[in-house]
Amino acid sequence: MWSGILRLFPVALAPTTTRTWNGSTLSPYVEVSRGLDFGPGVGPRLGNGGTDAGNEFNVAGHTAASLAQAITNGDYLSFSVDPIAGTGAVPSSVSFRLWRNGGSASRNFAILSNIDGFTSGAALVQATYTDTGIGSQHTLTANMPAVEALTEPIEFRLYGWGGTAATSNTHVNLASLNARFVAVPTLEFNFTGVQDTAPLTALRRQDANLALTAGLNFGPGVAPRGANNAGNEFHVAGFSTGSTLQSAIDSGDYLSFSVQAVAGMAMIPDSVSFTLWRQASGSAADYAILSSVGGFASGQQSAQAHFTTVGSGNQQVFTGAFVGAQPTTGPVEFRLYGWNTATSLDSTHVVGASMRARFASVAGSPIDPTGSLVVQGDLYHLDGGLIAIDLGGHVAGDDYDTLEALGKIELEGDLVVSLADAGGSPFAPALGDSFNFLSATEGVTGQFGDVALPLLSMGLDWRVDYLPSAVALTVVATADFNRDGAVDAADYVVWRKNGGTEAEYNLWRTNFGATTGAGSGVKVESLTSTAVPEPASILLLALGAALGSWRGHRSSTRVPSTR
């Protein structure tokens, strides 16, 4: 769980030039999907004697007689935020700071959001101000009611009403949001409107690397309990009357669902959760979670619990963790067993089901982002796995592939990079170009086992940069013109035959005798220097090398990695 702040400052921009501002302080777990902006019923206070103090929104148009009318008219300022993939936002408060620019300015203000709806009865906070002037600033703060983690865009609006003239204006010079950010499940079922309809396949969240192969369903020993269904749930009857988990296993008394990683990925199950409550004292008192990871036998349960409370106000979140689970490409089934009921008619209400997983590369099945790929959790690039990256330009996720993990990345497997078509010919990276193609919010460890990179123009080569939370490819200058790992006379021959520049020659001469392995000390600075005459001894050595063995160009090369 993380805490975060969003602050929106309209800093030194006149309202006549732009309508929106993005965050000046922004948590990495949230994006501004729409900057602070005018609603349809209001606008900037332009000229005509209006006072613009700068660093603010000078707003005119809050002339409605009531909040309900202001809502109808669209008399508000608003901004929207969107949690990044894999995280959920739990807003705690939202604030606007304002001051009235005269007696005719709006007196009444309220904050609303799309969480509770934009109706007059859903105001989060409401206030009336009568003072005026820049010295009479007010911070209107709404403390948010408790909500579960939100993964969709969240909009906040500041409404105003009670202004007595169309030109009356209010100055808003701060908008901010405080929220907590939490990790959300890799896959979570949506129970909205459910009345025991099985299998349940509606999902609230689903990682792009995970597929639901069997929806939440009743096992052979249980069935829906039609009576007393509270809605938005599975109401289950038939859990075992026996006193042991084995009795429930023998009778098939469970709910279950199955998931599987998509092609090219392996799944490492982390945990599975069920949220439930007992109808009455005779309902199943004991529950266990089993899975195909460990097997469906007594003693293999990932969690077991005994519950005594009853009623919808006593919901229990029951979670099983999978310690030491190995990567798998096949389906994984999760089951919730129940037993120790008074009769087979006594029931349990299941109102939530979700699971979390990490992902790993698979030997023989490359991970090919094809644009931008986000893994909602950790990624383990295992030995024998392959990540394939295409470079076709300079825009991340558009012109070249990117891979991001909302967790950590551990590297062991290989990397293959190709140059994509860029308008009729392969993309040609230039000196100094850098491509940040892999990143992880919780850091990158390890290195690629093998790196295959495309050839560049003579005098250019690749450097693999392993950063704390990213891996990048950078185009650098090199004097190893034939790419054989050493700067020697053979490179001079290549330089001569290809009409090399004076700057390339000087780089070769400076590094003559060096090797291009990591830590070799070969200079890779930009090629800027004055012409230097060719020493006779070097010319003779070059001619001798030309008569010897010749190493040709390769289509790709393994490049030493540097930290």
Side-chain angles (χ1 to χ4, degrees):
M1 180 176 66
W2 312 276
S3 295
I5 276 185
L6 163 69
R7 289 177 180 267
L8 296 162
F9 289 96
V11 180
L13 294 174
T16 54
T17 59
T18 184
R19 288 175 55 88
T20 63
W21 282 262
N22 289 325
S24 56
T25 303
L26 186 65
S27 165
Y29 301 106
V30 70
E31 298 172 340
V32 178
S33 52
R34 182 172 182 178
L36 190 63
D37 201 357
F38 299 97
V42 299
R45 177 68 166 89
L46 308 176
N48 300 322
T51 300
D52 183 5
N55 304 329
E56 63 182 26
F57 268 43
N58 192 355
V59 190
H62 289 144
T63 56
S66 65
L67 173 57
Q69 185 180 348
I71 292 172
T72 300
N73 294 349
D75 296 348
Y76 61 81
L77 290 179
S78 75
F79 67 90
S80 298
V81 298
D82 192 5
I84 65 173
T87 65
V90 184
S92 57
S93 65
V94 61
S95 298
F96 292 87
R97 188 170 66 204
L98 58 93
W99 57 277
R100 302 174 63 240
N101 194 16
S104 62
S106 57
R107 292 169 170 257
N108 306 296
F109 302 90
I111 298 175
L112 291 84
S113 80
N114 64 341
I115 299 172
D116 295 308
F118 300 113
T119 63
S120 57
L124 298 170
V125 67
Q126 189 169 320
T128 298
Y129 305 124
T130 58
D131 49 11
T132 63
I134 193 170
S136 299
Q137 300 195 20
H138 300 274
T139 300
L140 183 61
T141 299
N143 294 314
M144 305 294 295
V147 295
E148 63 180 27
L150 304 170
T151 58
E152 301 298 324
I154 312 165
E155 181 183 1
F156 298 95
R157 295 180 182 176
L158 172 68
Y159 283 90
W161 67 98
T164 57
T167 56
S168 63
N169 56 307
T170 299
H171 300 247
V172 176
N173 52 32
L174 173 68
S176 65
L177 167 68
N178 282 280
R180 292 181 295 114
F181 298 95
V182 299
V184 296
T186 308
L187 180 144
E188 182 178 9
F189 286 94
N190 186 355
F191 281 78
T192 303
V194 173
Q195 299 284 341
D196 300 335
T197 303
L200 175 59
T201 59
L203 300 173
R204 297 181 61 189
R205 302 182 182 97
Q206 181 179 10
D207 190 286
N209 299 297
L210 194 69
L212 179 68
T213 55
L216 187 65
N217 208 345
F218 299 93
V222 297
R225 178 76 164 94
N228 300 317
N229 189 299
N232 304 326
E233 63 178 30
F234 269 37
H235 190 186
V236 188
F239 281 137
S240 175
T241 58
S243 60
T244 64
L245 170 57
Q246 189 62 53
S247 66
I249 293 173
D250 292 341
S251 302
D253 297 344
Y254 61 81
L255 291 178
S256 76
F257 67 93
S258 298
V259 297
Q260 183 175 11
V262 300
M265 300 288 283
M267 177 181 66
I268 307 171
D270 271 339
S271 63
V272 62
S273 297
F274 293 90
T275 304
L276 57 90
W277 58 276
R278 302 170 67 236
Q279 174 69 34
S281 59
S283 301
D286 294 283
Y287 300 88
I289 296 175
L290 288 86
S291 76
S292 57
V293 174
F296 301 112
S298 182
Q300 300 299 321
Q301 57 267 37
S302 60
Q304 183 172 328
H306 179 76
F307 300 132
T308 58
T309 59
V310 300
S312 60
N314 291 294
Q315 296 184 6
Q316 306 288 337
V317 179
F318 186 33
T319 300
F322 305 97
V323 179
Q326 297 301 305
T328 177
T329 58
V332 177
E333 181 183 1
F334 304 98
R335 294 181 183 177
L336 171 68
Y337 284 89
W339 68 97
N340 206 1
T341 65
T343 74
S344 60
L345 294 179
D346 286 327
S347 56
T348 299
H349 301 249
V350 177
V351 297
S354 63
M355 61 86 59
R356 287 190 61 81
R358 294 164 292 152
F359 297 94
S361 56
V362 180
S365 298
I367 300 175
D368 189 347
T370 314
S372 180
L373 176 63
V374 177
V375 176
Q376 296 178 14
D378 300 336
L379 174 63
Y380 296 83
H381 186 36
L382 303 179
D383 185 23
L386 179 67
I387 293 176
I389 299 294
D390 292 329
L391 304 178
H394 299 92
V395 180
D398 187 2
D399 295 335
Y400 70 90
D401 298 338
T402 61
L403 176 59
E404 177 186 10
L406 303 177
K408 65 181 180 180
I409 293 179
E410 292 186 3
L411 297 175
E412 291 184 59
D414 301 336
L415 171 69
V416 171
V417 177
S418 302
L419 298 179
D421 182 88
S425 60
F427 173 57
L431 179 65
D433 283 353
S434 187
F435 307 91
N436 193 329
F437 67 93
L438 184 144
S439 62
T441 58
E442 296 181 15
V444 177
T445 58
Q447 295 188 6
F448 290 108
D450 193 35
V451 179
L453 300 171
L455 284 180
L456 299 173
S457 301
M458 190 185 74
L460 299 179
D461 214 337
W462 295 102
R463 187 182 70 225
V464 183
D465 296 320
Y466 291 92
L467 308 173
S469 297
V471 180
L473 291 171
T474 302
V475 179
V476 297
T478 179
D480 181 18
F481 302 135
N482 66 353
R483 296 180 174 89
D484 66 351
V487 180
D488 53 22
D491 297 304
Y492 176 84
V493 175
V494 174
W495 174 79
R496 294 275 298 195
K497 286 189 173 183
N498 287 274
T501 66
E502 293 178 354
E504 289 168 344
Y505 166 77
N506 283 304
L507 185 65
W508 169 78
R509 190 185 71 168
T510 301
N511 290 284
F512 185 81
T515 58
T516 58
S520 63
V522 176
K523 293 184 178 180
V524 294
E525 290 84 12
S526 59
L527 301 178
T528 55
S529 61
T530 56
V532 177
E534 300 167 358
S537 59
I538 295 179
L539 284 172
L540 291 174
L541 182 59
L543 290 174
L547 298 176
S549 60
W550 173 252
R551 300 185 183 185
H553 287 288
R554 294 172 288 175
S555 60
S556 64
T557 180
R558 179 168 178 171
V559 175
S561 304
T562 60
R563 284 188 178 272

